[in-house]
Amino acid sequence: MQTKKTFAKWLALLLIITVIVESIGAYCIITEKPVFLHHQVYILLELIIIRKMYNGLIKDKAWLKLSNFFLIAFLVTWFLILYNKSFFYTAIIIGAINIGLLVFLYLRELLLSDEILNYKKMLSFWVSVGFLVFYLPSIPFFSLVGYMKSRDLFPVLNILIIIMNIIISFGLIWSKKKEEY
């Protein structure tokens, strides 16, 4: 199906961009250069790519209007970061809410379709589960980051990122490519 191929292409692009940004970030940390701008651009690209991934999978476009509201709110907040860096976590929260909403809309359609019978072999299902594992807990985490006195809880985010990537990797291995005749 064309939308599943498109989903996989967008996922590949997201993974490539993630590797590039994390490599640049690691280099900047070693050379003691600022990494804020890289991550600011990354969250914009990440949300746009994830939106494109789910655009093809969600057939009921009426529900996407709610996601459009959060996308606009994210873009406004993202531009506010250029003037005040304190909006960074707000942009992350709004982006995570939008991604969570897209995933739930996709899972809703999956549950209402006959494709649910083969969910274990669907890459989009495993990616969605991985996204839920990271993005849903990140909403309260970044909501409370201003009240944290230290960075002691940041390893929790690293663990969630690792779990998310393990689930996505499992999906890449487990999902089955449909044979076309």
Side-chain angles (χ1 to χ4, degrees), residues 6-15 53 123 127 131 168 172:
T6 306
F7 182 88
K9 288 177 185 177
W10 283 113
L11 177 62
L13 179 63
L14 177 64
L15 295 175
M53 287 168 60
L123 176 61
V127 171
F131 284 168
I168 291 172
L172 287 168

Side-chain angles (χ1 to χ4, degrees), residues 50-51 54 58 64 67 98-106:
I50 291 173
R51 172 60 189 252
Y54 285 97
I58 299 171
L64 283 177
S67 175
N98 197 13
I99 292 169
L101 178 65
L102 289 168
V103 170
F104 280 126
L105 289 174
Y106 164 69

Side-chain angles (χ1 to χ4, degrees), residues 36 40 43 77-85 87-88 91:
F36 184 79
Q40 181 184 357
I43 65 168
T77 309
W78 188 85
F79 280 110
L80 288 174
I81 296 171
L82 298 173
Y83 301 106
N84 187 348
K85 290 182 181 182
F87 285 102
F88 184 72

Side-chain angles (χ1 to χ4, degrees), residues 135-149:
Y135 289 105
L136 287 185
S138 70
I139 295 168
F141 181 87
F142 286 113
S143 297
L144 300 173
V145 78
Y147 300 104
M148 294 182 200
K149 295 185 189 272

